Amino acid sequence: MDIGRSFTTKIVTIERYILGQQTGFPEATGVLTNLLYDLALSAKIIASHTTRAGLAEILGSTDEENTHGETVQKLDVFAERTIYRMNDHTGRLAVMASEEEEGIIPIPPNYPTGKYVLLYDPLDGSSNIDYNVSVGTIFAIYRRKTVDGPGTLEDCLQKGRSLVAAGYIIYGSSTMMVYSTGQGVHGFTLDPRVGEFLLSHPDIRIPEKPKYYSVNQGYQPRWSPGVQRYTQWLQGDNDLGMALSLRYIGSLVADFHRNLLAGGVFYYPAEGVGAKAKGKLRLLYEAAPLAFLAEQAGGYASDGYQPILDIEPTGLHQRVPLFIGSRTLVEQAETYLRSESV
Ligand code: AFP
């Protein structure tokens, strides 16, 4: 028997897959391909540190010194610097913006600018790091709006419908990169032995039958009557024929990833007046890129009234209520929320 031929599953690296997708577009210049490749490389570097996060030298304040007399960086700062340094000099980007930075991040004047814009949340859920809970990186790629020269705030303030690509990396029991360029959602698992992301989840579709709802139930007293009733509906007062199970990690990428694969809804609603009057999550760094993935996987994301992807951003750090996951569940949330405003 020819053992070699008995293995029918192809091994596809992320590089090969990204390149393969590009060949469907003869006009493509390869810039987006290389940008995604750089993000995969950033992910490998960040993953190599998250797996060592329990070690004392990684934890602690940003200005502490480790035993080698070097300045210790917290993991979220490290992730931020890694993505920036991987992308500041390539000539592919006009400008960047990060959840960790107040303003836009210009490309240094000694480097060329390019046609894309990168927005990212370098390490989402970072308050979970000290407890060995999964965290993630989220990225969003747009085409610049301005024609040339340094990119501007206007280039960053684009609605999700204009996204060229988006994705996330989850640093969990394994590291996965999940992305879409508008041709479905594809997931790659990092094989740490060979240092490659290998295609493990081609063409992810949110399952028809949902399993989970995910929300910080501790905040229930602060929710509007519509969100309260919606939650009861998810808990069994419905025509789904089953009560959904509650799963909540408190790390958006991990909660979204689980529901993407298992079916379900994640929501972080508005909480009346005060600091969370518009919820907690950021439109540009969290909601819009994940909404793009949700729609590409057959799901949906809404602020309770309109698609997240249709919201015109007015500020870099704008917050938005988020309902995301299986389409029927998110549409049901809209029904409950709209009914409270009539
Ligand atoms: P941190 O980055 O401060 O850990 O916040 C994580 C997050 O932005 C998102 O990943 C979670 O879904 C959400 O906040 C959890 O918020 P609550 O702790 O209020 O439930």
Side-chain angles (χ1 to χ4, degrees), residues 12-14 40 43-44 175-177 188-190 196-199:
V12 181
T13 63
I14 197 163
K44 288 183 202 173
T175 300
M176 273 190 77
M177 178 159 164
F188 301 80
T189 303
L190 182 64
E196 285 285 5
F197 278 107
L198 303 179
L199 181 63

Side-chain angles (χ1 to χ4, degrees), residues 292-306:
F292 182 75
L293 294 173
E295 287 205 7
Q296 283 292 316
Y300 179 44
S302 168
D303 67 352
Y305 302 92
Q306 61 181 321

Side-chain angles (χ1 to χ4, degrees), residues 123-128 216 219 248 250-252 266 268 276 280-281 286:
L123 214 59
D124 186 68
S126 53
S127 64
N128 288 305
N216 191 332
Y219 303 146
Y248 188 73
S251 188
L252 178 61
F266 170 97
Y268 205 116
K276 292 194 196 158
K280 176 183 181 189
L281 303 174
E286 295 169 312

Side-chain angles (χ1 to χ4, degrees), residues 275-276 278-283 317-321:
K276 292 194 196 158
K278 294 246 161 70
K280 176 183 181 189
L281 303 174
R282 316 274 178 167
L283 174 62
H317 294 275
Q318 179 176 343
R319 295 177 199 270
V320 70

Side-chain angles (χ1 to χ4, degrees), residues 123-307:
L123 214 59
D124 186 68
S126 53
S127 64
N128 288 305
I129 291 171
D130 291 356
Y131 315 113
N132 209 350
V133 171
S134 299
V135 289
T137 297
I138 307 174
F139 61 89
I141 299 170
Y142 295 89
R143 233 168 245 110
R144 70 181 300 170
K145 287 174 94 175
T146 51
V147 180
D148 50 23
T152 65
L153 180 62
E154 185 198 351
D155 291 315
C156 296
L157 296 182
Q158 300 194 47
K159 60 181 174 189
R161 216 43 93 189
S162 307
L163 275 162
V164 172
Y168 61 82
I169 297 103
I170 178 167
Y171 311 98
S173 49
S174 59
T175 300
M176 273 190 77
M177 178 159 164
V178 177
Y179 81 92
S180 176
T181 53
Q183 302 172 77
V185 180
H186 312 288
F188 301 80
T189 303
L190 182 64
D191 182 342
R193 291 168 309 178
V194 294
E196 285 285 5
F197 278 107
L198 303 179
L199 181 63
S200 53
H201 296 65
D203 202 14
I204 298 170
R205 306 290 299 169
I206 300 185
E208 282 288 307
K209 199 169 159 56
K211 273 174 101 167
Y212 301 122
Y213 78 100
S214 310
V215 67
N216 191 332
Q217 198 100 36
Y219 303 146
Q220 182 159 6
R222 300 182 225 155
W223 298 340
S224 70
V227 177
Q228 306 264 5
R229 281 200 296 276
Y230 174 57
T231 307
Q232 285 161 9
W233 182 84
L234 294 167
Q235 289 167 336
D237 184 11
N238 61 42
D239 51 8
L240 297 175
M242 61 176 274
L244 298 179
S245 284
L246 170 65
R247 292 279 190 284
Y248 188 73
I249 296 170
S251 188
L252 178 61
V253 171
D255 278 310
F256 177 78
H257 181 70
R258 183 200 50 246
N259 292 357
L260 180 71
L261 298 183
V265 62
F266 170 97
Y267 50 111
Y268 205 116
E271 289 179 12
V273 288
K276 292 194 196 158
K278 294 246 161 70
K280 176 183 181 189
L281 303 174
R282 316 274 178 167
L283 174 62
L284 288 174
Y285 307 109
E286 295 169 312
L290 296 187
F292 182 75
L293 294 173
E295 287 205 7
Q296 283 292 316
Y300 179 44
S302 168
D303 67 352
Y305 302 92
Q306 61 181 321

